[in-house]
Amino acid sequence: MRMARLIAAALLAGAATTVQAAGVEAYLSNKTAQLTFTGDASGIGLPGAEMSFGLFYGDDKDYMGSFGLHAAGTPAGDMPLTFGLGGRIYVGSTDRPDQNFQALALGGEVRYTIPANMPMAIAADIHFAPSVTSFGDADQLVDVGVRYELEVTPGVSGFLGYRELTLDLDRDSSYKVDKHVHFGVRFRF
């Protein structure tokens, strides 16, 4: 537990010095909450990429911090699709079972913008950390999400989504950190 706190503090300090907030996103479900700060990664020499720092809490006393770096773009042609690739570092602890985990996951996302008067989108993302990049009590991590977004005003979007974050733990068990429908809001500055 102490090592996880030290790593989380290091991630928080690193993210605070490099991410100049360009957006804030919060989501809630019946059992979980997450707050994510996003910013431009040009400060670390990666123009066009986005960094994110997230804090997660589950009412089973599950805690997690994440730090991500992703780049996205549209394929050739005039398509309403956007694809993104990147990675995310996860650091956290679960209460039952009492486990600490760290993982380096690679993944991507796809977003389809629905052509309409009020901007809407459907997005899905997946991140995967195999055993070679999962540490602590984790042998593997899979984070999958899907959401429907609606831009209510320029810079403010609401969304409804589903996330499933699963850990394979050292004790040959699978633990779902998050498996809930959630709703949230995103502010872009």
Side-chain angles (χ1 to χ4, degrees):
M1 181 70 171
R2 187 165 194 226
M3 179 59 130
R5 287 183 183 165
L6 289 173
I7 292 171
L11 284 173
L12 177 61
T17 60
T18 58
V19 175
Q20 297 176 356
V24 176
E25 176 180 295
Y27 82 67
L28 299 171
S29 77
N30 191 34
K31 303 264 185 190
T32 61
Q34 179 154 327
L35 181 64
T36 305
F37 301 94
T38 60
D40 184 15
S42 61
I44 61 168
L46 297 170
E50 182 178 83
M51 293 191 312
S52 64
F53 176 72
L55 297 170
F56 172 88
Y57 172 75
D59 76 347
D60 293 330
K61 294 193 172 79
D62 298 333
Y63 302 94
M64 182 178 65
S66 61
F67 179 76
L69 183 62
H70 291 85
T74 56
D78 190 19
M79 297 178 64
L81 285 174
T82 303
F83 296 97
L85 293 173
R88 192 176 289 156
I89 297 170
Y90 297 84
V91 176
S93 68
T94 62
D95 186 47
R96 290 186 200 107
D98 184 15
Q99 306 281 303
N100 297 315
F101 63 92
Q102 303 85 39
L104 172 60
L106 295 179
E109 77 167 22
V110 61
R111 174 182 303 276
Y112 175 73
T113 303
I114 300 168
N117 289 337
M118 183 172 266
M120 295 179 266
I122 297 172
D125 67 275
I126 184 167
H127 287 82
F128 174 69
S131 61
V132 71
T133 61
S134 298
F135 308 100
D137 296 317
D139 283 333
Q140 178 176 292
L141 179 143
V142 178
D143 188 2
V144 178
V146 63
R147 67 168 60 177
Y148 167 76
E149 302 177 359
L150 178 66
E151 187 175 308
V152 292
T153 65
V156 180
S157 298
F159 58 88
L160 177 67
Y162 176 78
R163 181 182 191 188
E164 188 166 305
L165 176 62
T166 306
L167 291 169
D168 283 344
L169 301 170
D170 285 341
R171 298 181 185 144
D172 294 327
S173 65
S174 181
Y175 181 72
K176 302 236 189 258
V177 177
D178 193 0
K179 58 174 181 180
H180 299 94
V181 172
H182 57 262
F183 67 93
V185 64
R186 181 175 58 235
F187 298 94
R188 291 247 180 225
F189 309 114

